[in-house]
Amino acid sequence: GLIKAIDRFDPAQGVEFTTFAIPTIAGEIKRFFRDTGWMVHVPRRLQELRITLAKATDELQQLHDRAPTTAELAEHLSMDEAEIREGIVAGRAQTAGSLDIGSGSDSDDGPTLGDRIAFEERDYELVLSREALKPVIAALSERDREVLSLRFGSELTQAEIGQLLGYSQMHISRVLKRVLGELREALLTGE
């Protein structure tokens, strides 16, 4: 701002340098914060529209003793309502709301935004377990993987699996017990 004031100052105008420099520097500081202080990048046109809307809202609020509608703002500024809505939405990008603020009239009232949009994924643990088991299952013998697939994929009984593979139900039971023990151990130890 100071450099700009020095570059643009004309002593022939008969004005002291400080009289010219102070508003120029203040304007540059405001422009910097206006351009970089937004949480989301908003085009300059919409930033300026937000300022225009704020002034028009104040004027109409004084005049009607209530908050103006979008239609009233559009008529007052000779714009269409879509532009007004776009400016209002752009104005919300200047500050970010906290996820910890309550939704009630009192900031501590009601569930927070974080409570409303965050949820516990029911199947998260299941997905983690599956991913942890993939290498362990891949290391099993072909027969053990087939027994697991038939039991838990096709949901066959031990007797049906035994009949299909030519083993007794007791043998399938032992295979399943051993394989499930290995899988359980792998999940618990993280190996």
Side-chain angles (χ1 to χ4, degrees):
L2 177 61
I3 300 298
K4 195 174 214 176
I6 291 169
D7 289 344
R8 292 179 33 201
F9 180 69
D10 183 9
Q13 295 292 324
V15 178
E16 285 188 34
F17 177 71
T18 54
T19 305
F20 176 78
I22 290 173
T24 303
I25 293 168
E28 286 300 310
I29 291 171
K30 287 177 186 175
R31 183 173 292 114
F32 172 80
F33 283 118
R34 183 179 63 224
D35 290 349
T36 61
W38 292 70
M39 294 294 143
V40 176
H41 176 71
V42 175
R44 179 72 160 251
R45 169 186 72 81
L46 292 176
Q47 293 178 26
E48 291 171 357
L49 177 58
R50 183 194 65 83
I51 294 168
T52 304
L53 282 173
K55 289 176 184 174
T57 300
D58 287 345
E59 290 173 17
L60 290 174
Q61 211 161 9
Q62 293 281 331
L63 186 66
H64 300 298
D65 205 26
R66 62 173 170 76
T69 64
T70 306
E72 290 170 339
L73 284 167
E75 183 181 331
H76 182 74
L77 295 172
S78 302
M79 301 173 118
D80 62 77
E81 288 186 43
E83 284 180 288
I84 300 298
R85 283 191 292 276
E86 188 178 25
I88 291 169
V89 169
R92 293 184 190 137
Q94 191 169 20
T95 56
S98 171
L99 295 178
D100 295 327
I101 293 178
S103 61
S105 57
D106 182 10
S107 64
D108 293 332
D109 261 358
T112 66
L113 179 59
D115 293 337
R116 291 191 319 245
I117 63 175
F119 63 94
E120 187 174 323
E121 182 61 50
R122 290 185 310 113
D123 296 331
Y124 182 72
E125 289 296 324
L126 178 63
V127 170
L128 284 179
S129 296
R130 275 191 191 146
E131 289 303 310
L133 286 176
K134 276 184 182 179
V136 179
I137 291 173
L140 293 174
S141 69
E142 181 67 34
R143 185 192 69 171
D144 290 348
R145 281 197 308 268
E146 187 176 11
V147 169
L148 276 178
S149 175
L150 291 171
R151 178 66 184 107
F152 298 105
S154 300
E155 297 184 0
L156 298 179
T157 66
Q158 292 176 6
E160 291 169 329
I161 297 169
Q163 245 181 354
L164 191 65
L165 299 179
Y167 296 106
S168 70
Q169 180 270 327
M170 184 61 78
H171 182 75
I172 298 299
S173 175
R174 286 188 201 118
V175 169
L176 280 171
K177 184 175 181 176
R178 178 183 49 77
V179 170
L180 292 175
E182 290 174 19
L183 295 177
R184 185 176 300 110
E185 183 66 27
L187 274 180
L188 294 175
T189 61
E191 295 175 0

